[in-house]
């Protein structure tokens, strides 16, 4: 596992624990009505009745998302054909041992995206609490909007060239080794 991947999963795990603990504590203290939708400007658009299920919806979504991304990440080495990547055919043409370093970088991207989504969902949970208790939500909703809009392109611009460079490096090493005996067809079942 790459260091970036480990760090992102550690941060995600800590955030999930904090989000769940915060939501459980807040659920018992929240008023009868909580925000169901908040406009980007921070004004509550719709209210809903407070219930444990409603209050834990965002933390539950964060947990399910993280679990799904962890499963997908762990499956990539066995199923490289599931990866959606520019030059996917070049990745699949590599033998499994040469695919692995590229896939580890893709796993780091998935871990970073999971951390980003967890931050946003945790922020949305906090936003809901602030709205429910009559506090201002404008500043936090603006921050969440900016984080969501700017962090996704930043992650892609940061990670895709790094992944592509490893793909190029593995192809160059494969050619230098003369390791042409493994074909794409042999990897297709992976």
């Amino acid at each position: 596992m790459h260091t970036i991947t480990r760090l992102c999963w550690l941060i995600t795990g800590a955030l999930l624990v904090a989000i769940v603990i915060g939501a459980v504590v807040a659920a018992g203290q929240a008023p009868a009505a909580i925000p169901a939708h908040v406009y980007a400007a921070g004004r509550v658009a719709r209210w809903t009745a407070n219930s444990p299920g409603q209050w834990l919806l965002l933390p539950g979504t964060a947990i399910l998302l993280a679990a799904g991304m962890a499963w997908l990440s762990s499956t990539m080495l066995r199923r490289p054909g599931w990866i959606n990547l520019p030059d996917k055919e070049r990745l699949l043409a590599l033998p499994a041992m040469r695919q692995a370093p590229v896939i580890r970088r893709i796993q780091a991207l998935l871990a970073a995206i999971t951390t980003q989504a967890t931050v946003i969902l945790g922020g949305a949970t906090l936003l809901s609490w602030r709205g429910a208790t009559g506090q201002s939500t404008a500043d936090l909703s603006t921050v969440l909007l900016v984080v969501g809009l700017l962090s996704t392109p930043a992650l892609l611009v940061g990670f895709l060239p790094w992944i592509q460079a490893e793909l190029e490096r593995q192809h160059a090493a494969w050619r230098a080794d003369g390791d042409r005996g493994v074909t794409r067809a042999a990897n297709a079942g992976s």
Side-chain angles (χ1 to χ4, degrees):
M1 184 181 291
H2 198 279
T3 304
I4 293 171
T5 309
R6 266 193 224 97
L7 180 61
C8 287
W9 284 117
L10 180 66
I11 292 168
T12 298
L15 286 170
L16 287 172
V17 168
I19 292 166
V20 169
I21 290 172
V24 167
V25 168
Q29 300 172 3
I34 60 173
H37 179 76
V38 178
Y39 288 120
R43 189 170 58 83
V44 176
R46 186 169 47 92
W47 294 86
T48 189
N50 182 13
S51 70
Q54 186 67 32
W55 192 251
L56 297 173
L57 186 64
L58 288 171
T61 301
I63 290 168
L64 288 175
L65 176 73
M69 293 292 262
W71 174 82
L72 182 61
S73 181
S74 70
T75 305
M76 288 180 146
L77 286 170
R78 293 186 310 275
R79 304 263 187 232
W82 289 3
I83 296 170
N84 187 7
L85 172 77
D87 284 340
K88 176 180 178 174
E89 292 301 316
R90 292 188 70 221
L91 173 67
L92 296 178
L94 290 170
M97 72 173 223
R98 296 255 177 233
Q99 289 176 355
V102 180
I103 292 171
R104 278 194 284 282
R105 290 187 179 196
I106 297 168
Q107 289 170 324
L109 172 60
L110 280 184
I113 290 169
T114 304
T115 302
Q116 170 210 27
T118 304
V119 166
I120 293 169
L121 288 167
T125 303
L126 179 59
L127 182 76
S128 185
W129 168 253
R130 288 177 71 173
T133 57
Q135 300 175 48
S136 171
T137 57
D139 54 346
L140 184 55
S141 65
T142 302
V143 167
L144 289 174
L145 186 61
V146 169
V147 166
L149 290 175
L150 296 181
S151 61
T152 301
L155 285 172
L156 294 176
V157 166
F159 276 91
L160 288 180
W162 182 58
I163 293 166
Q164 191 66 32
E166 185 61 26
L167 180 59
E168 295 300 326
R169 194 176 82 67
Q170 291 302 323
H171 262 279
W174 185 41
R175 283 190 305 273
D177 291 345
D179 192 7
R180 297 260 181 211
V182 179
T183 64
R184 187 175 73 220
N187 286 329
S190 300

